[in-house]
Amino acid sequence: MRLIYKGFLTYGAARPLGKVVAAFLCLVSPVMAAEPVTVLALGDSLTQGYGLPEQDGLVPQMRKWLEDQGVEAELINAGVSGDTTAGGAARVEWSLTPEVDAMIVTLGGNDLLRGIDPAVSRRNLESILRIAQANEVEVLLVGLSAPGNYGAEYKSSFDAIYPELSEAYGAFYAPDFFAGLGGGDPAALQQWFQADGIHPNAEGVARIVEGLGPHLRALIEAAQAE
């Protein structure tokens, strides 16, 4: 996290007063000591806000959640509809501009829709984490669960990607993007989705944000501590 120091040019007897003023400013106005954390949200249509008015998408609703929590952060929407883990890996390096302090990675849904080999998805996500690590950017890796129609072996291999890579690279980990929607009967969950049954509606996004919010807050606090 980049810090902005308010320096005092002091000489002789003025130096002690300068120190007192500096200490007072740090106590009463800590926001003067640091910029808000800038977080890149690297993802696909779930991040981009497909099918929703801009204000109802994931990133705008997450901004509002953070504001309500009193957390100062700038979120950059780097969601691209249709993007796979390969697309994310291809653009992550130039997406991590110098002001970015942390990154949320929500990729893999389109890999599942296309039945991409989990080993390929793993390599792509690992590439993203490796680049983030080289740039000293904290990461929150958000997991997804594979459906059972590809078979037990595929599901086991895919589902293991997120926790294993998070541990290997010291990334923050949210086990399930859709955790905020709750479990139970899949048919009952459809009330939180748009007509396509894939993309959440505005209320669904709000629930997803409630589930992901604490993970994001922990990510931001870690970036602030650097």
Side-chain angles (χ1 to χ4, degrees), residues 103-164:
M103 176 170 62
I104 315 169
V105 178
T106 55
L107 287 165
N110 288 308
D111 294 49
L112 289 174
L113 289 175
R114 301 178 188 188
I116 292 173
D117 184 345
V120 173
S121 301
R122 177 185 286 268
R123 285 197 298 270
N124 293 331
L125 288 171
E126 186 167 19
S127 177
I128 291 170
L129 291 171
R130 190 181 299 118
I131 290 169
Q133 191 175 71
N135 283 273
E136 299 182 342
V137 170
E138 294 279 2
V139 175
L140 168 60
L141 185 60
V142 182
L144 289 169
S145 180
N149 57 303
Y150 291 125
E153 184 177 351
Y154 184 102
K155 179 173 175 57
S156 176
S157 296
F158 187 91
D159 291 358
I161 293 172
Y162 299 92
E164 290 177 2

Side-chain angles (χ1 to χ4, degrees), residues 62-71 73 75 216 220:
M62 190 65 82
R63 287 194 192 106
K64 179 63 166 58
W65 187 91
L66 290 171
E67 288 173 5
D68 292 345
Q69 297 289 316
V71 179
L75 269 63
L216 178 56
I220 291 169

Side-chain angles (χ1 to χ4, degrees), residues 41 43-54 57-60 77-81 106 199:
D44 50 33
S45 56
L46 296 174
T47 300
Q48 183 267 334
Y50 176 87
L52 296 170
E54 182 178 356
L58 180 75
V59 173
N77 190 343
V80 175
S81 290
T106 55
H199 299 94

Side-chain angles (χ1 to χ4, degrees), residues 8-25:
F8 289 88
L9 188 61
T10 57
Y11 297 93
R15 187 180 298 274
L17 178 59
K19 291 182 177 179
V20 171
V21 172
F24 175 75
L25 289 174

